[in-house]
DNA sequence: CGAGCGATTGAACGCTCTCAAAGTGAGTGG
DNA sequence: CCACTCACTTTGAGAGCGTTCAATCGCTCG
């Protein structure tokens, strides 16, 4: 069940006098936090809400970057490819995360939905104008980009220096902490992505991911539950295993 | 020879009526670009310039983040450590790069000089005030953070999916392109960091880095020159090897 | 029930690591 | 000027972790 009815929201946003943002339950998590009602109305005027099925490409590496997006529900993956098809997933985005920052007017990665996803779409030009008008939002976006940068550095440590088991434990921990930060329960963890996606995120193969889950399961550290959920037996144990200590 | 005399600059900045920024030759590369003369003066009032020997720690992971820095000459490395001492270098910073973005009021990484380095230091509080006053600078900082984010994603692809040879070639190419962007010649490439630093940046060991350089040297793709410089025989060949195609 | 896709398991390989030793070069002091 | 030190780099040999290739399992859906 999505946090609010996007179908209705879309209809509303077509009527420019309404402003769905005011009622948006995920606003506090994201770039629109701390905007005044009139500012929110201005924002609502330029955005369009979208509902996208799973496994759909939002945009591809190299595409002209003509919009920013904000995830309001679901999960999106970002990835880069090498010429021979090797893939690196650089992030899984969930409720409250934004995507679409670009460097040379074009996207540096492909964005694809993992689950059914709802998003707010902000046309770049209009968004830039608005950012100039609302320094508060600019600041917020900068702060969120800083957080992403820190997360990227954590991921570099993981990719460059951690073992398969440490990678998997770090991954579960990240999902758990992220869920907690969004007000969901942190255990069991909902893992909507495939083994292949996890592998491409952690710099492993699907086989190694599968084997490592089996090991953790056998050792009693975790157990798989219905509906792609993973129960962490002892959070501290997983935490220690995530850093090799 | 550093791009300008930092010793004199420091004296000047102690006299609040002068403004060394106006004469700064690297301004166009960095966060101070496109500021008006009076804004530059305001900036000069809050910054202090520093000259730091090689292998000195500027700040450590977890330290209270009380300043932003701007590299005006030299090379700085950023790294994170695991409890058992494994290290991941997340970036090498050169002229024009900034460092010190923090998340929870504390630095997420350690910063250490590779070579003798000169920097501008901006106290965080004063910098934040100034950023609010100068949206242009805020925007510029955001744009630079976006570029860093894109570079971080490239690095994830490298760490997660590239072979040792591809990593080394990508690294050389990055150094070359970076030098070109700063107006230096792109070949031969100046490589001031040790094998150990390169290894910790690329997720390899020093031995593998050394062996890979030897391979490239033997195959004629590169040759080592005096003064830590590497001559790339054919840029296109290196480019292809960097992506496995 | 059968097709098809993802996940799991098995066996063997190989790239990179680990451990070890030798080589190189800059700096120091006799 | 040379011997010595010390840190860094290079080279070698062997081992191991994760990969590759392949087969089986299990679930979903027509």
């Amino acid at each position: 069940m999505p946090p609010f009815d996007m179908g209705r929201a879309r209809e509303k946003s077509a009527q420019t006098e309404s402003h769905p943002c005011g009622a948006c339950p995920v606003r506090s998590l994201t770039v629109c936090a701390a905007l005044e009602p009139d500012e929110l109305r201005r924002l609502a005027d330029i955005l369009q809400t979208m509902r996208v099925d799973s496994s759909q490409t939002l945009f591809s590496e190299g595409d002209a970057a003509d919009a920013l997006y904000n995830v309001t529900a679901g999960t999106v993956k970002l990835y880069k490819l090498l010429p021979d098809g090797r893939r690196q997933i650089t992030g899984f985005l969930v409720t409250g995360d934004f995507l679409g920052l670009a460097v040379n007017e074009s996207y540096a990665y492909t964005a694809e939905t993992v689950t059914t996803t709802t998003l707010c779409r902000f046309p770049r030009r209009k968004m830039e104008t608005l950012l100039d008008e609302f320094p508060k939002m600019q600041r917020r976006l900068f702060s969120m980009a800083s957080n992403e940068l820190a997360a990227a550095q954590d991921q570099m440590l993981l990719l460059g220096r951690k073992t398969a088991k440490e990678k998997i434990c770090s991954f579960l921990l990240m999902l758990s902490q992220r869920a907690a930060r969004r007000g969901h329960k942190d255990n069991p963890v909902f893992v909507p992505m495939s083994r292949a996606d996890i592998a491409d995120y952690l710099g492993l193969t699907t086989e190694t991911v599968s084997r490592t889950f089996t090991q953790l399961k056998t050792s009693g550290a975790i157990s798989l539950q219905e509906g792609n959920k993973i129960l962490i037996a002892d959070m501290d144990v997983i935490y220690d295993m995530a850093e090799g200590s």
Side-chain angles (χ1 to χ4, degrees), chain A residues 42-138:
Chain A
R42 295 283 308 281
L43 195 62
D45 282 347
I46 71 161
L47 72 75
Q48 84 198 86
T49 59
M50 312 165 56
R51 187 177 190 281
V52 183
D53 287 341
S54 59
S55 304
Q56 302 302 305
T57 300
L58 294 173
F59 53 78
S60 295
E61 190 174 345
D63 282 0
D66 39 35
L68 277 178
Y69 298 84
N70 205 3
V71 179
T72 50
T75 302
V76 174
K77 66 189 176 199
L78 310 182
Y79 63 82
K80 294 173 76 80
L81 293 172
L82 286 171
D84 63 4
R86 280 174 289 172
R87 186 178 69 148
Q88 180 65 42
I89 292 181
T90 58
F92 290 109
L93 306 187
V94 298
T95 305
D97 294 328
F98 74 93
L99 60 152
L101 290 187
V103 273
N104 305 326
E105 308 285 300
S106 63
Y107 296 119
Y109 47 79
T110 301
E112 192 178 317
T113 54
V114 174
T115 63
T116 299
T117 301
T118 57
L119 308 110
C120 301
R121 181 180 191 279
F122 305 94
R124 170 164 303 276
R125 294 285 167 220
K126 294 178 183 172
M127 187 65 174
E128 281 171 355
T129 309
L130 225 55
L131 282 177
D132 283 339
E133 261 185 90
F134 305 153
K136 237 183 308 187
M137 193 155 78
Q138 169 109 310

Side-chain angles (χ1 to χ4, degrees), chain A residues 3-39:
Chain A
F4 75 115
D5 184 336
M6 296 307 294
R8 197 165 63 232
R10 189 191 301 183
E11 286 167 31
K12 275 191 182 177
S13 82
Q15 307 165 8
T16 47
E17 72 277 0
S18 75
H19 46 105
C21 297
C24 178
V26 304
R27 177 156 50 92
S28 67
L29 295 168
T30 186
V31 69
C32 333
L35 284 185
E36 303 303 324
D38 58 322
E39 294 170 338

Side-chain angles (χ1 to χ4, degrees), chain A residues 15 24 37 54 61 102 109 125 132 150 174 190 201 211-212 224 235 238 240:
Chain A
Q15 307 165 8
C24 178
S54 59
E61 190 174 345
Y109 47 79
R125 294 285 167 220
D132 283 339
M174 181 272 286
F190 178 48
Y201 181 60
R211 273 186 256 269
T212 306
L224 308 192
M235 203 64 84
I238 296 289
D240 285 346

Side-chain angles (χ1 to χ4, degrees), chain A residues 142-209:
Chain A
F142 178 53
S143 153
M144 291 180 73
S146 296
N147 287 339
E148 264 198 69
L149 208 44
Q153 288 163 347
D154 280 337
Q155 190 67 359
M156 286 188 228
L157 177 62
L158 178 149
L159 290 169
R161 288 304 180 210
K162 290 188 180 179
T163 64
K165 189 192 278 193
E166 290 164 358
K167 286 176 175 180
I168 295 287
C169 291
S170 299
F171 177 63
L172 291 176
L173 216 51
M174 181 272 286
L175 289 181
S176 171
Q177 291 170 346
R178 169 188 280 191
R181 226 176 303 124
R182 286 184 172 55
H184 306 128
K185 59 180 181 312
D186 64 339
N187 197 9
V189 178
F190 178 48
V191 184
M193 56 291 283
S194 68
R195 295 289 181 266
D197 281 352
I198 297 173
D200 283 346
Y201 181 60
L202 300 178
L204 299 170
T205 59
T206 61
E207 293 93 331
T208 299
V209 170

